[in-house]
């Protein structure tokens, strides 16, 4: 796999807070504990200490979740004093979720390897967001299908509204529909077999996701952590009790942080209100946000004191769940985290979580960006070369892409004639403008408006010629569809649309290894990968 840059640009549409974190850290250093670099991660590693008993219990819990032989080396390494973790995570999406999930996991692997090479033993850990309750985030995947727009396929589930998604049963993953989309791809059979191995009923989103990524990343040493395991939540109980006890203090700190962010011109990724808390409660299967008023925690139809929540925790360690702002703090209390691999949105809400880190555990990992790619396949490269286009030309409007293709379809003699006459008219208009300026500057100013109108009409005519050329060439229109649908499907980033398995079907099970080789630790630029 060859590697090419896309102008060393940040991914499109990133929050300004994330952009400044990567490009102008001095603007945001009050919101983060460390700069976004491996050097900073090495510094953060000094504070990522765990007590011997805590570490032993953590490794035991991870061993139960990672029984495969390939995980043994990482577990042995993590059991040693001084070993740190490079952590990332994501929702447990159908068929592995969008491919950026893979990029996050591989970035953690690459950064852990680099820290280890620098003399700081590290293991990669993937936190599976199994207790998230937004089923609509995980119950579908988008498949690539040659010659067609992206295909959205939704699994059939046996769901309870508001339940933790990791435990929701997948009654039918619609594998036949995915397989039909991949038909004709070089590695379709291997992809279908891999999907069937992990998503055939009976299963659930958490178990299937873990199995699929365990197979894709088998030789990387990454460990998977499901927070819904009782042993994991028992280990987190001291922190959850402290969060309950200090809720008013944490709330005030978060309100101050929100004001600081807004006054600096940034946004709050998670809107924290005076009545908000950092806790959620499982009432049966449903996960409910708790509000806080005068020291009392309020669910939908019941009030709880802090003592009530302590008792719920003692009876069932899974009863109390962290909110989005508290969740990474719980994660990094459990783990000796030196670096946290995130996307733009996560990095933004970590600016809020920072005050919770300070209050509850007194340390925070370095926040490093995940790798971001657009994959360019062989067919796309040929079409780009045929029409003299860049990948960037495919990432704007569809009209702009078609105009770029159309300009290459205009007969050379006609194109040269239009360009030549346009240049001659420009020269003539220059002369008229010069003469008017010498005669009456007011008339010269008025003429500039007329000149813009003349140029507009010339450009409009040239565009009409291009569109007519495209209309006469059905193949070129199909090529425009092919480029847009693969490189920028539906006007969105490729990595946020197509599922991991679409890439496996096209490029084979070795695709993760090839991506891993292309990752630059600490690089937040959006880049091209040429397959």
């Amino acid at each position: 796999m060859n590697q090419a840059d896309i102008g060393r640009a940040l991914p499109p549409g990133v929050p300004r807070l994330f952009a400044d974190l990567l490009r102008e850290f001095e603007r945001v250093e009050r919101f983060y504990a460390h700069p976004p670099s491996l050097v900073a991660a090495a510094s953060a590693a000094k504070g990522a200490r765990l007590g011997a008993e805590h570490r032993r219990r953590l490794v035991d819990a991870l061993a139960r979740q990672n029984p495969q032989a390939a995980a043994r080396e990482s577990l042995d390494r993590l059991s040693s004093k001084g070993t740190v973790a490079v952590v990332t995570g994501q929702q447990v999406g159908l068929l592995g979720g969008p491919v950026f999930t893979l990029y996050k996991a591989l970035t953690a692997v690459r950064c852990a390897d680099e820290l280890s090479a620098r003399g700081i033993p590290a293991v990669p850990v993937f936190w599976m967001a199994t207790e998230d309750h937004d089923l609509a985030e995980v119950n579908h995947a988008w498949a690539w299908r040659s010659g067609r727009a992206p295909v959205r396929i939704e699994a059939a589930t046996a769901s309870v509204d508001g339940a933790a998604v990791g435990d929701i049963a997948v009654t039918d993953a619609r594998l036949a529909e995915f397989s039909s989309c991949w038909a004709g791809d070089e590695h379709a059979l291997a992809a279908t077999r891999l999907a069937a191995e992990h998503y055939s009923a009976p299963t659930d989103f958490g178990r299937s996701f873990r199995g699929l990524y365990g197979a894709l990343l088998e030789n990387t040493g990454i460990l998977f952590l499901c927070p819904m395991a009782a042993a994991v939540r028992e280990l987190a109980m001291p922190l959850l009790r402290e969060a309950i006890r200090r809720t008013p203090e944490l709330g005030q700190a978060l309100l101050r942080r929100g004001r600081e962010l807004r006054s600096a011109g940034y946004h709050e990724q998670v809107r924290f209100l005076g009545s908000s808390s950092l806790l959620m409660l499982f009432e049966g299967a449903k996960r409910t946000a708790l509000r806080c008023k005068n020291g009392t925690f309020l669910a939908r139809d019941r009030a709880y004191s802090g003592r009530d929540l302590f008792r719920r925790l003692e009876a069932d360690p899974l009863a109390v769940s962290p909110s989005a702002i508290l969740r990474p703090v719980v994660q990094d209390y459990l783990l000796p985290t030196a670096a946290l691999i995130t996307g733009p949105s996560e990095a933004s809400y970590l600016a809020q979580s920072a005050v919770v880190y300070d209050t509850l555990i007194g340390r925070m990992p370095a926040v490093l960006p995940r790798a971001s790619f657009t994959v360019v396949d062989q067919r796309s490269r040929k079409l780009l070369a045929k029409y003299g286009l860049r990948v960037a030309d495919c990432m704007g409007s569809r009209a702009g892409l078609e105009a770029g293709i159309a300009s290459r379809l205009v007969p050379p003699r006609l194109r040269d004639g239009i360009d030549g006459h346009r240049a001659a008219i420009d020269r003539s208009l220059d002369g008229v403008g010069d003469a008017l300026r010498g005669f009456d500057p007011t008339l010269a100013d008025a003429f500039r408006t007329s000149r813009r109108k003349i140029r507009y009409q010339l450009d409009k005519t040239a565009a009409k010629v291009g569109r007519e050329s495209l209309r006469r060439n059905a193949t070129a229109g199909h090529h425009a569809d092919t480029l847009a649908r693969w490189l920028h499907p539906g006007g969105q980033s490729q990595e946020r649309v197509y599922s991991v398995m679409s890439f496996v079907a096209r490029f084979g099970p070795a695709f993760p290894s090839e991506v891993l080789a292309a990752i630059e630790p600490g690089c937040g630029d959006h880049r091209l990968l040429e397959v």
Side-chain angles (χ1 to χ4, degrees):
M1 179 177 288
N2 296 319
Q3 181 176 313
D5 294 330
I6 188 169
R8 288 293 176 180
L10 291 174
V14 300
R16 191 164 68 86
L17 183 62
F18 181 72
D20 285 351
L21 171 67
L22 299 185
R23 294 286 197 261
E24 299 185 71
F25 182 70
E26 66 278 2
R27 290 177 176 267
V28 300
E29 59 183 340
R30 59 181 154 152
F31 303 130
Y32 298 93
H34 305 279
S37 68
L38 280 175
V39 172
S43 178
K46 298 173 185 176
R49 306 297 183 191
L50 296 180
E53 178 61 15
H54 181 115
R55 188 180 287 268
R56 183 193 66 76
R57 292 174 62 192
L58 170 66
V59 173
D60 286 348
L62 285 170
R64 287 193 285 274
Q65 296 188 30
N66 296 270
Q68 68 279 11
R72 190 67 256 170
E73 182 178 347
S74 291
L75 290 166
D76 289 344
R77 178 179 292 188
L78 185 58
S79 67
S80 299
K81 179 181 178 181
T83 297
V84 298
V86 177
V87 184
T88 193
Q90 190 62 33
Q91 288 99 335
V92 288
L94 180 67
L95 289 191
V99 73
F100 77 78
T101 304
L102 176 70
Y103 300 160
K104 290 177 83 172
L106 290 171
T107 305
V109 170
R110 182 72 182 84
C111 290
D113 287 346
E114 182 61 25
L115 281 177
S116 296
R118 296 185 183 194
I120 301 169
V123 297
V125 178
F126 191 101
W127 180 284
M128 300 192 303
T130 47
E131 61 186 323
D132 187 89
H133 58 274
D134 191 347
L135 179 60
E137 287 280 333
V138 302
N139 68 352
H140 66 280
W142 290 87
W144 156 261
R145 186 168 186 173
S146 182
R148 286 184 54 181
V151 180
R152 184 186 187 278
I153 302 173
E154 182 174 321
T157 63
S159 64
V160 175
D161 184 42
V165 297
D167 291 336
I168 291 177
V170 180
T171 57
D172 184 356
R174 311 294 193 200
L175 295 182
E177 295 178 46
F178 283 107
S179 184
S180 68
C181 290
W182 301 332
D185 284 332
E186 183 177 355
H187 301 279
L189 182 58
T192 299
R193 287 175 175 169
L194 184 60
E197 182 179 352
H198 300 289
Y199 280 88
S200 294
T203 188
D204 56 52
F205 282 101
R207 183 172 29 165
S208 296
F209 182 96
R210 166 66 185 84
L212 178 65
Y213 270 97
L216 289 173
L217 304 176
E218 182 177 10
N219 297 317
T220 64
I222 195 166
L223 300 172
F224 295 87
L225 191 158
C226 171
M228 296 291 285
V232 173
R233 190 52 60 79
E234 287 170 1
L235 194 55
M237 280 176 61
L239 185 77
L240 290 171
R241 282 196 291 264
E242 192 70 359
I244 293 168
R245 187 177 71 81
R246 302 178 73 171
T247 287
E249 176 187 354
L250 292 169
Q252 289 302 310
L254 283 163
L255 290 172
R256 286 194 300 272
R257 176 49 53 91
R259 290 192 294 269
E260 292 168 355
L261 285 165
R262 293 193 300 273
S263 66
Y266 301 116
H267 72 295
E268 293 175 275
Q269 186 68 27
V270 178
R271 184 65 169 150
F272 192 87
L273 305 174
S275 60
S276 300
S277 85
L278 297 176
L279 302 163
M280 305 186 81
L281 189 68
F282 277 104
E283 298 181 302
K286 294 184 178 181
R287 187 170 179 245
T288 303
L290 291 173
R291 294 176 292 114
C292 186
K293 183 177 181 180
N294 299 325
T296 299
F297 295 89
L298 305 173
R300 291 176 181 171
D301 54 4
R302 184 174 172 183
Y304 299 88
S305 68
R307 289 183 179 275
D308 291 334
L309 294 184
F310 289 155
R311 285 192 288 269
R312 290 290 298 270
L313 263 178
E314 291 296 333
D316 179 7
L318 294 175
V320 178
S321 175
S323 70
I325 293 178
L326 181 60
R327 188 209 61 76
V329 185
V330 172
Q331 165 191 285
D332 300 327
Y333 167 81
L334 290 168
L335 296 162
T337 310
L340 189 54
I341 308 302
T342 76
S345 296
E346 295 160 292
S348 294
Y349 71 64
L350 283 165
Q352 297 172 260
S353 298
V355 296
V356 185
Y357 277 97
D358 288 344
T359 302
L360 294 184
I361 63 175
R363 60 180 171 88
M364 184 179 182
V367 179
L368 272 62
R370 67 166 175 83
S372 178
F373 296 117
T374 291
V375 176
V376 184
D377 64 337
Q378 186 175 15
R379 187 180 186 194
S380 295
R381 284 203 306 276
K382 289 180 178 178
L383 292 178
L384 291 168
K386 176 181 177 70
Y387 297 108
L389 300 170
R390 303 166 302 152
V391 171
D393 296 324
C394 304
M395 294 187 173
S397 68
R398 178 57 183 270
L401 172 60
E402 290 182 349
I405 291 177
S407 67
R408 295 297 298 266
L409 298 176
V410 177
R413 184 174 178 181
L414 176 57
R415 182 174 61 242
D416 292 345
I418 292 173
D419 290 343
H421 288 301
R422 184 158 40 192
I425 291 169
D426 279 342
R427 288 193 296 272
S428 297
L429 294 175
D430 285 342
V432 174
D434 291 341
L436 286 173
R437 276 191 296 275
F439 177 72
D440 185 334
T442 303
L443 291 176
D445 290 341
F447 177 72
R448 278 197 293 271
T449 300
S450 299
R451 177 175 181 159
R452 285 195 295 270
K453 292 179 179 179
I454 293 169
R455 186 57 189 258
Y456 170 78
Q457 292 299 328
L458 288 170
D459 291 343
K460 184 176 180 181
T461 298
K464 286 182 177 179
V465 170
R467 287 196 296 272
E468 178 60 19
S469 299
L470 187 64
R471 188 189 66 80
R472 296 181 183 186
N473 190 323
T475 299
H478 175 68
H479 289 165
D481 286 340
T482 299
L483 286 169
R485 288 169 177 171
W486 175 246
L487 297 174
H488 203 229
Q492 298 185 68
S493 173
Q494 179 198 75
E495 63 185 16
R496 290 192 163 275
V497 176
Y498 290 122
S499 76
V500 169
M501 295 306 295
S502 286
F503 289 81
V504 174
R506 297 198 74 185
F507 309 121
F511 178 70
S513 298
E514 298 181 84
V515 173
L516 180 62
I519 290 174
E520 296 179 11
C523 177
D525 296 326
H526 186 75
R527 300 161 57 215
L528 300 184
L529 289 179
E530 296 188 358
V531 182

